[in-house]
Amino acid sequence: MVRIVLVQGDITEQQVDAVVNAANSSLLGGGGVDGAIHRRGGPDILAACRALRASHYGKGLPTGRAVATTAGRLPAEWVIHTVGPRFTQDEDRSELLASCYRESLRVADELGARTVAFPAISTGIYGWPMADGARIAVETVRATQTAVEEVRFVLFDTPAYASFEAALA
């Protein structure tokens, strides 16, 4: 069974096998976690993402899917990019959010990663309510068959940490 650890801090500083990036579908960088990972990881990540866009993902990475690249200058071996759904009151997109965690773990297994750091996917600019995002993240990781030994949720602030702590309880 995967060990779940909570950390309040900066995901770009995590010494893990793979860091999960809450990417946008373009894979070419953005704000929030995505921007931080691209800035700290350096140009190698962007070059790898451009190569993905030029080959398999010409229209971008679909929501709920995941793909890996180098981690550049990050203290990890890989970045697993996943595109979270935007929250909307009109449609239940919970399955797409859960898919981000499942697909990221699937990619981690393909890479042989044993430790993976996740952000709180879709809970920033994409507007997903933090408590619900934490619940979906924790339930999905617990229910997913994986060889990953440790999932580390790296949370930017105290309210996010508290939401994940409550979801774990």
Side-chain angles (χ1 to χ4, degrees), residues 28-118:
L28 302 179
V33 169
D34 194 17
I37 285 174
H38 276 270
R39 278 190 304 278
R40 175 101 190 263
D44 291 348
I45 296 172
L46 183 57
C49 287
R50 283 192 172 127
L52 286 168
R53 285 298 303 271
S55 60
H56 300 326
Y57 299 102
K59 294 181 179 175
L61 184 65
T63 302
R65 298 286 307 277
V67 64
T69 66
T70 178
R73 295 190 303 251
L74 294 174
E77 195 163 345
W78 301 285
V79 173
I80 299 171
H81 306 267
T82 189
V83 180
R86 292 184 185 278
F87 180 78
T88 173
Q89 296 281 2
D90 305 333
E91 176 187 2
D92 181 5
R93 306 188 82 204
S94 301
E95 182 49 39
L96 279 172
L97 182 55
S99 179
C100 291
Y101 292 98
R102 273 195 307 275
E103 284 288 300
S104 294
L105 290 171
R106 179 189 60 75
V107 171
D109 284 342
E110 289 175 0
L111 296 168
R114 294 293 173 255
T115 54
V116 178
F118 279 96

Side-chain angles (χ1 to χ4, degrees), residues 131-153:
D132 192 50
R135 177 191 62 79
I136 291 167
V138 169
E139 286 177 1
T140 303
V141 166
R142 283 181 169 159
T144 301
Q145 289 285 87
T146 181
V148 171
E149 295 165 6
E150 179 183 294
V151 164
R152 190 178 303 175
F153 288 110

